Amino acid sequence: MAVGALSAGLLPRAEPAGDPLEPPGPLSYWAHWDGAWYSEIASGGYGERAPQSTAFFPLYPLLLRVGIFAGLGPSLWGVVLSLAATLLALYFVHRIAGHLCGERAARAATLSLAFFPTAFFLNAVYTEALFLALSAGSVWAALLRRDLLLAGLLGALAAATRNVGVLLVLPLLFEWWRSRRELGLRALLGVALVPAGLFAYMAFLWARFGEPLLFAGQQSYWGRALTSPPVTARMAWEAAAEGAGYLLQPSALFLDPSPTPSLAASNALNLAFLLLLLALLGSSLALLPPGLSAYALLGAALPLLTPSPSFPLMSLPRFMLGLFPLFLALGALLSRSRAALLAWLAASSAAGAALTALFVTWRWVA
C-alpha cells in the first residue's frame, strides 16, 4: 500500500492503453486494467460493454455494488474488500499447509503468498483476493472442518468469481473418496454444489442476453485463442527474447509515458514465472494430495492453452497468485532452509515493489 501510494504520487503516469479507465475517487490507482472493468460493471452492469464484459464473472462486482450503494467509491470499497478477503485467504492457506505439511511449512507458505511478486493484486480492485479466500476456504472446510456442505457452498461462490472455481470439484471429490465411510453419500451433495456458481451466472446470461455461454468466447477480444503447448512455448520464447532488453532499462520502464516498454518486458518476466510455475507444479505432485495437485495443474493449463499473439503468457504471474496449492508446495520447499526462505522473501518483496510501481502508474504487469 505504501509503495503504491508513493509511486502514484511521484512517478509519471503512462498513457493508458484501451478502455475502460480507472474510476474517480480515493485509491483509484488500484483500479487499473481489469479493476476498471470490474468497477464499471459494478456501477452500470454488463450492458455497456457487452458481450466482452461478460468475461468478468459476477460475484466481485456484485460485492462492489454493495459499497457503491453505501456511498463508497468502487476503488476505495474494492481495496477494503480485497484486503479483508486477503486476511481470510492467508488464514486458510496457513491452516491447510499446517495440516498437510507441518507448522514450519505453514509459516513459509503464508509468507511466500503474502510477499509473492504479484501479491499487490491482493490490494487491488481485482478478484484474486476474493477467489483465494473462497477457494482455500472451500478446501479448508473439507480438510479441517470435515464439512463438505460448507466446502461446496464456498466452492460455488468461487465458481461465481472465476471460471476455474469449478475445478474445486477435484480436491473436494478426492477428500470425499478418501473419507467416504466417515462422510457418507450425503456429503457428495456438497461437492455437487460447486458448479452452482457457474450455472447461476449462465442462467443470468441466458435471461439477459439469450446466450448462457456468452462468456466463453470473449477471450478473443484480448486475442486469446486455443493453441497447442509447443506453439505457445515457441511464441513465449520469441516474445521474451524481444522484450528482455527493457528489463535493463529502468528509466524506460518507470518513466516512459508509453506503456510499450513494460508491455514488452512483461513477456520476459512471464517466461521466468512459467519456469517457476512448472517447478512448483512438479513439486506439488510429490508433496500434495492428488486432488490439490490436479486442481493446480488444470487451473494453470487454462491460460497456457489460450495465448495471445503478442503476449503469449499474458497475466500468468497473476493467475499463479490465485492457485493456492502452488504456495503450499513452495512453503514446503522453503521451510527446509531458513536462509533460503529469507533470500526468497527478500528477492520476492523487491520484485513486488517494482511491479507495484509499474501497475499503479498504468504500466502493464500481468
Side-chain angles (χ1 to χ4, degrees):
M1 292 293 291
V3 170
L6 289 172
S7 301
L10 298 176
L11 293 177
R13 285 167 54 111
E15 299 171 3
D19 286 320
L21 301 180
E22 67 187 47
L27 302 180
S28 61
Y29 49 85
W30 287 113
H32 288 171
W33 309 107
D34 287 6
W37 281 88
Y38 284 115
S39 298
E40 187 172 276
I41 294 168
S43 301
Y46 282 97
E48 174 131 0
R49 297 186 192 273
Q52 290 81 17
S53 59
T54 62
F56 300 91
F57 274 45
L59 183 59
Y60 189 72
L62 276 174
L63 295 176
L64 280 183
R65 197 172 183 87
V66 173
I68 294 172
F69 280 142
L72 301 174
S75 299
L76 176 59
W77 177 243
V79 169
V80 171
L81 181 62
S82 290
L83 288 174
T86 296
L87 292 177
L88 288 173
L90 294 174
Y91 170 78
F92 291 138
V93 167
H94 184 273
R95 292 296 309 277
I96 295 169
H99 177 77
L100 294 175
C101 306
E103 181 58 27
R104 289 184 62 182
R107 288 196 296 269
T110 308
L111 289 170
S112 64
L113 171 58
F115 294 99
F116 196 63
T118 55
F120 64 87
F121 282 110
L122 301 179
N123 303 1
V125 188
Y126 272 63
T127 61
E128 265 60 35
L130 179 62
F131 182 75
L132 264 174
L134 293 171
S135 57
S138 176
V139 173
W140 164 84
L143 281 178
L144 284 89
R145 289 287 301 272
R146 316 301 294 160
D147 186 344
L148 284 184
L149 178 59
L150 176 60
L153 288 171
L154 293 173
L157 293 174
T161 306
R162 300 264 298 268
N163 57 356
V164 295
V166 296
L167 297 177
L168 287 165
V169 166
L170 298 173
L172 298 190
L173 192 59
F174 173 79
E175 186 58 27
W176 174 82
W177 178 258
R178 191 178 67 85
S179 306
R180 59 192 182 278
R181 291 183 179 176
E182 171 196 347
L183 297 172
L185 285 175
R186 277 190 174 184
L188 273 179
L189 296 175
V191 180
L193 283 176
V194 173
L198 174 61
F199 293 154
Y201 184 40
M202 291 170 61
F204 163 77
L205 293 177
W206 195 0
R208 177 70 172 78
F209 300 105
E211 175 52 67
L213 293 174
L214 186 62
F215 68 91
Q218 301 314 312
Q219 290 299 328
S220 60
Y221 178 75
W222 290 270
R224 291 185 178 274
L226 189 63
T227 307
S228 67
V231 173
T232 300
R234 176 179 56 78
M235 293 167 59
W237 176 262
E238 293 173 354
E242 293 176 6
Y246 282 111
L247 294 176
L248 303 177
Q249 301 179 42
S251 61
L253 282 177
F254 293 96
L255 302 177
D256 196 306
S258 168
T260 300
S262 62
L263 285 165
S266 71
N267 283 321
L269 190 69
N270 291 345
L271 185 61
F273 275 93
L274 175 62
L275 297 177
L276 174 63
L277 171 64
L278 295 176
L280 292 179
L281 287 175
S283 300
S284 71
L285 293 174
L287 298 171
L288 302 180
L292 284 174
S293 300
Y295 169 71
L297 182 63
L298 291 179
L302 291 176
L304 295 178
L305 293 173
T306 54
S308 171
S310 300
F311 308 100
L313 301 176
M314 183 170 63
S315 301
L316 180 65
R318 177 167 62 85
F319 291 148
M320 288 176 63
L321 185 67
L323 294 173
F324 76 89
L326 298 178
F327 297 95
L328 303 181
L330 181 58
L333 294 172
L334 292 175
S335 66
R336 299 173 182 177
S337 167
R338 183 176 179 81
L341 175 61
L342 292 175
W344 169 267
L345 292 177
S348 182
S349 299
L355 295 180
T356 300
L358 292 175
F359 175 83
V360 300
T361 54
W362 272 112
R363 291 171 173 88
W364 179 257
V365 177

